[in-house]
Amino acid sequence: MNLSVRFILFSALLAMPIFATAADERSPQHPAPVCSPVLFGEAEPFNDGWKFTLSDPTDAASPEFDDSRWRQLDLPHDWSVEGDLSPSLASCTGYLPGGIGWYRTLINSRHLANHGGRGDGKRTGKEKYYLYFEGVYNRSEVYLNGHLLGKRPNGYASFCYDLTPYLHEGDNVLAVRVDHSRYADSRWYTGSGIYRNVWLVRAPETHLAQWGTTYRLTAIDASTACIEVESTIERPTQQTSTPTATHNSATADRPLQLAITIYDRDNRPVARKRVRVAATQTKITAPLTIPKPHRWELTDPYLYTMQVDLLDGGKRIDRCRTRIGLRTLEFDADKGFALNGRWMKVKGVCLHHDAGTLGAAVPPEVWRRRLENLKAIGVNAIRMSHNPQAPALYDLCDELGLLVMDEASDEWEFPKRKWLTGWNDGTPGYDGTYDFFEEWIDRDVADMVRRDRNHPSIFLWSIGNEVDYPNDPYSHPVLDSIRITQKNYRGYNPDAPDARRIGKIAERLVRVVKSHDTSRPTTGAMAGVAMSNATSYPDAIDVCGYNYTENRYDLDHATYPHRIIYGSENRSDYGAWRAVCDRNFIFGQFIWTGIDYLGESRSWPSRGFYSGLLDFGGFVKPRGHFRASLWSDRPVTYIGTYPADDKPLSIDAWDIWNYDAGDTIRVVCYTNAPQARLLLDGAPFGETKPYDDRTGIIHWDVPYRAGELRAEGLDAEGKVLSDYTIVSSDVPRALRVEADKQVLSADKETVHLCVEVVDAEGRPVRLGDNEITCEITGPARLLGLENANNSDMTDYTDNRHRAYHGRLLAYVRTTGEAGDITVRFTSPLLKGCRINLRAK
């Protein structure tokens, strides 16, 4: 009997800004207040004008503390990536430091007045104010006027505090302590500080609850979509007598109304509903019908907009406005996975949250370019490795049409090994996040689900990654009798925690997930499948992820015919993909990794893990082109080269055509065409060869001659479907720069400037490693220079760096003012270049 689970979801997207008028008939020309990312109130970014110190002074939370010598900066901010790379630091962090830091700023009447009024533009005197943090790494404490608002140890969690009881007239001092002194607390780079956005939120006493509005699709066909909207209302329940409060709360005992409206992509209303809310009600469920629904697809990620207005006496007092998507999910133990009824393969990649030289403070424009480059090579799914990530990343996946596997954590109640002198080398450390697991994990998982559940892109909830790695930390007697692929440290360890605990925790966390969302299945990424099979873990989750365990696919499918299986973490090699595409019951895989990331470094010098399809700068690497030849729906051809020397076929061959005359060079071709041919200066250079289904690679061993080398992918009749050309270059002579845009928003938008080393004829010099200096005039600043060289451990905080593979990426960000911007690049003995930008 097959296990087939159908999940139907009507989803909302937390995307800002989305505008509408106060009237029911909306018009883009008359914007309404922007809804908070916490789905209530009126939000404003609160990122500018902070002070920071990388130290732990006594009384820094006190309003009277003198912070005049602290550094001034804007958020988001990651202090670790600003530190010095050193071999004395831990390899798991990319040889970058942690520490303890403080942030301080002021909240005054100007900030509060900036919010304006609600509805009729008048202030009631009974507003409440909240501060929402998208993420602080880690062990944060937030103080207002010396009062502790709260602590949040999880550095990936988003959280919100009520400021209202401690606000007073004049200046209010906000202080945030961030304790990342146990800096080697993760197996990869985390960053340190307030590395995501902060929002100041204003709301009435009675308002929509934090993350309290959600959706469920109950039926859909070509003519109609039936949805169920659930919204929770937060009402004051007692008198507030705090002397410093700006108002007194009163019990809200009047009936209210919810007005729900759905708009299509062109901002036309397509469904409406009004619901009466009794005086004692806090949770409301309302059905709506959408005619002629347009589904959210990977190739057509259609998004509606939904607005929920909370009305008191017919006047709006709060609003939640979000974009939404309609789609169905189906998982089957034999047939795999279907989106909107169409069975498909998930072609996924794992992603960490850093961006090389930018660390963990990554602008959304950087993520957009990275995701677009991944999608261009055939990627259709993202795994958030291994924690909830920045909200903007989910917004982009919704917009671009990428499935998302959201993941809660990498470590549970006991510490994993953290490598200090190189990945899987030497003596590990055991700092971690396990110490707050028992107190916080239920809330952390619940907050992940409640924050992210309205994104149509999310199709799986993962409760953990590799928590079952054999003897790291759990063990089981089965390790003495079953061969496993992971290093297991001499089989069963009776002194280690009992692996059966994993199943019990999994059952508990699945209950937490399903208490907030039942529209998607739960999963876990299992590293020790053989050990986990001896526990209740696989039965606790709906869908089982196998990390690097392709050898168990057939065995476990036969042994556990009801189990839904996929590759939750996999190598980039051809065999791992064939294990998916040759089996209907394996619905997909997630490659490790989509993009190179900091940390999990090998021995010095090594910035991070270098197996990405894209490099640190977001450029497609050779293995990304190879993956495109397997995954892309468009015609693909790429060639790379290396000295033959009896080397095996490689998926990491760079597109270089500069060798010594007469050398035997292996040319490898990654293509999805039935055959390919090679030409040098337009003449045949080796025979036409068919696609090699055993390796996925066509290759030729040829004598090197300088010139233009081109491969052409051909159909069965010899028609050219696609081609790729590389050219021999001369010595470096100049720099050339291109921008992904030249007109920018003055309001802190990031542009990518790609600088190439070229010869006198303008041909790229792929072997160029010249030092390049960047200078900017006008209202912009340099965020960082990225050369994507994993072994370059020099300073990344200044305005000069060496090129790698003949190029360098500059991240330039506007500062908030309009005006002309000029960016110049120079290099000794080379002709420099410049580009003019405009901020407006």
Side-chain angles (χ1 to χ4, degrees):
M1 176 180 177
N2 287 346
L3 176 62
S4 183
V5 185
R6 195 160 185 245
F7 293 83
I8 305 178
L9 175 66
F10 172 77
S11 290
L13 169 62
L14 312 182
M16 277 99 44
I18 301 173
F19 299 115
T21 64
D24 282 341
E25 294 295 339
R26 301 297 160 193
S27 168
Q29 287 76 32
H30 300 89
V34 178
C35 183
S36 163
V38 284
L39 296 185
F40 75 90
E42 197 176 313
E44 295 285 346
F46 199 67
N47 291 328
D48 296 347
W50 290 71
K51 293 184 176 182
F52 170 72
T53 182
L54 185 53
S55 61
D56 191 20
T58 305
D59 298 330
S62 170
E64 290 76 31
F65 182 85
D66 182 6
D67 60 13
S68 59
R69 296 187 178 182
W70 288 17
R71 172 186 171 191
Q72 294 190 5
L73 52 73
D74 295 337
L75 304 177
H77 172 241
D78 174 5
W79 80 66
S80 284
V81 81
E82 300 173 340
D84 294 331
L85 291 150
S86 171
S88 65
L89 298 172
S91 60
C92 59
T93 70
Y95 300 101
L96 285 163
I100 299 176
W102 280 84
Y103 297 84
R104 283 168 57 102
T105 192
L106 297 178
I107 301 176
N108 52 40
S109 57
R110 177 180 59 84
H111 294 115
L112 306 183
N114 279 346
H115 283 269
R118 300 290 303 182
D120 58 8
K122 298 178 181 179
R123 298 189 58 172
T124 67
K126 294 184 178 181
E127 297 87 6
K128 300 189 73 174
Y129 294 91
Y130 300 83
L131 203 66
Y132 176 64
F133 294 85
E134 291 184 1
V136 183
Y137 205 92
N138 64 347
R139 302 177 189 271
S140 64
E141 302 170 9
V142 180
Y143 299 85
L144 180 62
N145 295 324
H147 299 277
L148 177 64
L149 298 178
K151 301 181 180 182
R152 195 61 183 256
N154 188 332
Y156 299 100
S158 298
F159 54 93
C160 188
Y161 294 131
D162 185 355
L163 307 177
T164 314
Y166 306 109
L167 286 171
H168 55 63
E169 295 297 327
D171 290 340
N172 295 267
V173 178
L174 183 71
V176 182
R177 183 178 187 266
V178 185
D179 182 359
H180 196 200
S181 55
R182 287 168 277 191
Y183 79 105
D185 61 350
S186 173
R187 297 191 291 158
W188 56 87
Y189 179 84
T190 62
S192 302
I194 307 178
Y195 68 100
R196 297 182 189 161
N197 292 316
V198 179
W199 299 82
L200 183 62
V201 183
R202 178 180 182 268
E205 286 187 301
T206 299
H207 57 76
L208 299 169
Q210 176 181 336
W211 302 326
T213 300
T214 191
Y215 316 84
R216 188 168 65 91
L217 178 64
T218 57
I220 187 170
D221 57 29
S223 62
T224 305
C226 299
I227 66 170
E228 193 173 77
V229 180
E230 180 183 285
S231 196
T232 302
I233 297 173
E234 187 170 305
R235 302 172 182 259
T237 57
Q238 60 185 3
Q239 293 288 331
T240 301
S241 57
T242 306
T244 57
T246 59
H247 67 275
N248 289 325
S249 298
T251 302
D253 54 3
R254 295 186 302 276
L256 305 170
Q257 282 186 317
L258 278 185
I260 306 166
T261 311
I262 310 296
Y263 302 92
D264 67 13
R265 182 181 282 173
D266 297 320
N267 213 31
R268 296 174 300 208
V270 295
R272 285 195 178 98
K273 186 87 169 185
R274 281 210 177 194
V275 183
R276 185 178 183 276
V277 183
T280 57
Q281 261 185 304
T282 57
K283 183 175 290 187
I284 303 91
T285 302
L288 273 84
T289 299
I290 300 174
K292 298 180 180 178
H294 195 143
R295 300 193 190 215
W296 184 90
E297 301 275 7
L298 299 184
T299 56
D300 181 19
Y302 190 93
L303 296 168
Y304 293 86
T305 299
M306 177 178 170
Q307 180 171 300
V308 176
D309 287 318
L310 181 61
L311 308 176
D312 184 358
K315 293 184 178 181
R316 186 182 70 244
I317 60 173
D318 200 10
R319 167 176 290 173
C320 165
R321 187 169 168 83
T322 63
R323 285 184 294 179
I324 61 178
L326 306 173
R327 89 290 185 272
T328 62
L329 311 172
E330 189 171 355
F331 296 81
D332 186 272
D334 289 327
K335 294 190 291 184
F337 167 71
L339 177 67
N340 294 321
R342 288 186 291 275
W343 300 97
M344 58 175 287
K345 293 295 186 184
V346 170
K347 303 169 182 177
V349 294
C350 303
L351 285 188
H352 277 305
H353 76 156
D354 74 272
T357 187
L358 301 179
V362 185
E365 298 88 359
V366 175
W367 273 122
R368 177 179 289 277
R369 173 176 169 269
R370 288 171 154 227
L371 293 178
E372 287 175 343
N373 286 349
L374 286 171
K375 188 157 187 178
I377 61 174
V379 172
N380 64 18
I382 303 297
R383 178 186 177 203
M384 303 301 187
S385 309
H386 296 290
N387 297 92
Q389 300 200 24
L393 186 52
Y394 301 84
D395 296 344
L396 288 167
C397 290
D398 290 337
E399 294 174 18
L400 297 174
L402 289 163
L403 295 168
V404 171
M405 172 179 165
D406 213 1
E407 194 153 64
S409 64
D410 182 61
E411 188 169 84
W412 283 0
E413 56 180 345
F414 298 103
K416 292 182 176 180
R417 296 187 294 267
K418 316 298 187 309
W419 299 106
L420 307 179
T421 58
W423 183 59
N424 284 338
D425 179 62
T427 302
Y430 288 94
D431 279 340
T433 57
Y434 61 93
D435 58 302
F436 57 78
F437 174 85
E438 189 59 38
E439 179 181 358
W440 285 96
I441 190 59
D442 287 15
R443 181 172 176 182
D444 286 344
V445 171
D447 283 357
M448 174 188 75
V449 175
R450 293 176 66 238
R451 188 196 74 168
D452 297 340
R453 62 187 168 179
N454 293 331
H455 288 281
S457 57
I458 295 177
F459 80 126
L460 286 169
W461 298 117
S462 171
I463 59 173
N465 171 63
E466 295 189 346
V467 295
D468 62 336
Y469 200 99
N471 288 318
D472 189 21
Y474 296 95
S475 195
H476 190 281
V478 74
L479 296 179
D480 281 337
S481 58
I482 294 181
R483 176 185 173 274
I484 61 173
T485 57
Q486 294 87 353
K487 187 177 181 180
N488 70 342
Y489 290 88
R490 298 180 300 278
Y492 174 53
N493 179 6
D495 296 325
D498 188 340
R500 288 174 293 184
R501 300 171 65 95
I502 300 172
K504 297 300 181 183
I505 294 172
E507 292 166 3
R508 164 185 163 190
L509 298 185
V510 167
R511 286 194 296 270
V512 172
V513 172
K514 291 184 181 297
S515 69
H516 297 287
D517 181 58
T518 58
S519 65
R520 305 162 177 89
T522 57
T523 188
M526 298 189 295
V529 178
M531 184 175 77
S532 286
N533 284 342
T535 76
S536 62
Y537 183 20
D539 291 331
I541 53 182
D542 300 306
V543 179
C544 292
Y546 281 37
N547 283 13
Y548 310 105
T549 325
E550 292 86 357
N551 64 315
R552 295 199 65 92
Y553 286 171
D554 292 332
L555 174 62
D556 281 14
H557 180 59
T559 306
Y560 310 101
H562 298 259
R563 183 177 295 182
I564 302 169
I565 303 172
Y566 70 103
S568 43
E569 192 169 310
N570 306 86
R571 299 176 303 275
S572 295
D573 62 84
Y574 184 59
W577 174 239
R578 288 300 299 265
V580 176
C581 61
D582 291 347
R583 293 166 174 81
N584 288 335
F585 66 88
I586 302 296
F587 69 74
Q589 67 174 192
F590 288 88
I591 296 296
W592 194 266
T593 177
I595 308 176
D596 294 340
Y597 61 93
L598 299 176
E600 282 196 298
S601 303
R602 295 188 183 273
S603 300
W604 178 279
S606 173
R607 297 168 64 198
F609 214 85
Y610 202 59
S611 67
L613 305 183
L614 310 185
D615 64 23
F616 288 114
F619 295 103
V620 180
K621 293 165 63 177
R623 61 176 51 204
H625 290 288
F626 176 70
R627 187 56 44 173
S629 73
L630 303 178
W631 283 0
S632 181
D633 294 329
R634 62 178 176 82
V636 170
T637 295
Y638 167 91
I639 48 172
T641 68
Y642 51 93
D645 297 335
D646 296 324
K647 292 179 181 177
L649 295 178
S650 173
I651 63 172
D652 295 312
W654 290 91
D655 52 352
I656 296 170
W657 192 236
N658 281 83
Y659 297 94
D660 292 330
D663 285 354
T664 301
I665 304 303
R666 176 156 294 172
V667 181
V668 291
C669 178
Y670 314 147
T671 184
N672 52 13
Q675 55 183 342
R677 67 185 173 202
L678 194 64
L679 303 101
L680 182 65
D681 293 331
F685 196 50
E687 62 182 315
T688 298
K689 291 189 174 183
Y691 183 84
D692 187 343
D693 196 52
R694 298 175 299 105
T695 64
I697 299 174
I698 300 172
H699 80 281
W700 301 265
D701 289 344
V702 297
Y704 174 73
R705 295 202 316 267
E708 179 186 89
L709 187 69
R710 184 170 79 253
E712 296 177 338
L714 312 173
D715 66 13
E717 286 73 39
K719 179 184 176 182
V720 177
L721 301 175
S722 56
D723 62 80
Y724 195 92
T725 300
I726 57 179
V727 183
S728 304
S729 62
D730 204 344
V731 297
R733 292 294 187 188
L735 300 177
R736 180 171 61 202
V737 60
E738 292 184 358
D740 58 354
K741 66 191 82 171
Q742 288 189 257
V743 179
L744 309 173
S745 167
D747 189 19
K748 299 184 179 178
E749 183 177 5
T750 301
V751 61
H752 300 80
L753 303 180
C754 179
V755 187
E756 282 191 303
V757 180
V758 298
D759 66 12
E761 301 299 321
R763 296 172 296 209
V765 181
R766 289 284 179 250
L767 299 177
D769 64 350
N770 307 72
E771 184 178 82
I772 299 173
T773 299
C774 175
E775 295 179 335
I776 301 174
T777 57
R781 68 185 183 95
L782 180 66
L783 293 183
L785 295 173
E786 179 59 73
N787 67 357
N789 185 351
N790 188 46
S791 60
D792 185 345
M793 311 299 280
T794 56
D795 187 5
Y796 281 81
T797 64
D798 59 15
N799 68 331
R800 60 175 54 88
H801 219 82
R802 301 195 78 87
Y804 182 62
H805 289 301
R807 66 187 171 203
L808 185 71
L809 182 68
Y811 299 104
V812 174
R813 188 169 179 81
T814 56
T815 57
E817 303 84 29
D820 294 325
I821 302 163
T822 299
V823 187
R824 294 178 176 85
F825 297 96
T826 58
S827 182
L829 305 180
L830 301 185
K831 181 181 178 181
C833 63
R834 75 176 188 179
I835 190 167
N836 296 319
L837 309 173
R838 175 72 176 168
K840 68 177 197 176

